[in-house]
Amino acid sequence: MKKILTIMAMAVFLSASLQAREFHVAKNGSDTNDGSPEKPFLTISKAAMILRAGDTVTVHSGVYREWVAPRNSGADTYSRIVYRAAEGEEVWIKGSEEVKNWVKQGKTDVWKVVLPNSFFGDFNPFAEPLVGDWLSQTDDAFVVGEVFINNKSLFQSVNFEGVQNPVIPERTRKPEDAKRTWYVEVNDTETTIWANFGAGVNPNKELVEITTRPAVFFPQLPGVNYITVKGFHLSQAATNWAPPTA
């Protein structure tokens, strides 16, 4: 009887293995392709829509600015859905977009950019308050949005003065980093960001990004299980702050 059960289990395993598929994603691909190595998809999200138990998606080098929301679950720990970076290749999934067209404000180190709220779609992180029990003790209004230069985040200021004349906290190990600040104002149509990137820095010649998505890899529905994610750099999502007491 044990031999019969073992043979049946092996048959099921082999059947699942034969049915498992591997898709590919690359920056030179298209979501109208079939996901083969020769015709890869352009986005990981395209693969996430069709992957099923046992399948794998291999993502090739590049920066993917998207929210990957797995739709399906693996069947069990032996028949998972695998999202992986290609061996030896650097893959980033970012919750941000690159921003150019910063305008220098006079002879100061402050730069300004004005973005239509449509730039953010249905989620504007600069209009979303940062919440948490410790933050209830202050009247300062922080938001979940962030500004980055060359993958390093700047400090949010709660007023314009903090951008024009940054205050360096005591015992700061890197005073220059502490001077890098930003301030935001959002109205019904526009989001205006003022930023101090440091003395003599031209943000239009650097990699400047701002958060635009609440997540980079997270299912939108509960109960999506048995998924393996490996080899990616996941960064710059506009997530809420979680205090130690949460």
Side-chain angles (χ1 to χ4, degrees), residues 120-150:
F120 300 96
D122 59 1
F123 175 77
N124 185 345
F126 295 95
E128 294 289 329
L130 192 66
V131 296
D133 54 1
W134 289 359
L135 292 174
S136 65
Q137 302 174 22
T138 177
D139 293 329
D140 293 337
F142 295 100
V143 297
V144 299
E146 280 197 83
V147 179
F148 303 86
I149 183 167
N150 299 325

Side-chain angles (χ1 to χ4, degrees), residues 188-233:
D188 292 339
T189 60
E190 296 177 333
T191 296
T192 303
I193 303 173
W194 292 266
N196 188 330
F197 298 97
V201 177
N202 183 344
N204 296 312
K205 296 182 179 180
E206 308 292 337
L207 174 62
V208 176
E209 301 159 292
I210 64 171
T211 48
T212 58
R213 302 173 187 85
V216 290
F217 196 104
F218 198 84
Q220 292 181 309
L221 297 173
V224 180
N225 303 311
Y226 298 112
I227 290 177
T228 296
V229 182
K230 58 183 179 180
F232 300 107
H233 299 278

Side-chain angles (χ1 to χ4, degrees), residues 127-183:
E128 294 289 329
L130 192 66
V131 296
D133 54 1
W134 289 359
L135 292 174
S136 65
Q137 302 174 22
T138 177
D139 293 329
D140 293 337
F142 295 100
V143 297
V144 299
E146 280 197 83
V147 179
F148 303 86
I149 183 167
N150 299 325
N151 289 310
K152 182 174 291 186
S153 62
L154 281 66
F155 292 94
Q156 181 186 351
S157 173
V158 296
N159 52 48
F160 180 76
E161 177 64 23
V163 176
Q164 196 168 26
N165 298 298
V167 177
I168 302 176
E170 294 182 8
R171 294 176 293 188
T172 297
R173 293 184 179 180
K174 296 182 178 180
E176 284 305 312
D177 288 347
K179 290 182 180 180
R180 293 176 171 177
T181 56
W182 59 271
Y183 169 65

Side-chain angles (χ1 to χ4, degrees), residues 63-78:
V63 176
Y64 296 82
R65 299 185 186 278
E66 54 183 300
W67 175 3
V68 181
R71 175 179 292 184
N72 302 318
S73 294
D76 52 42
T77 192
Y78 302 105

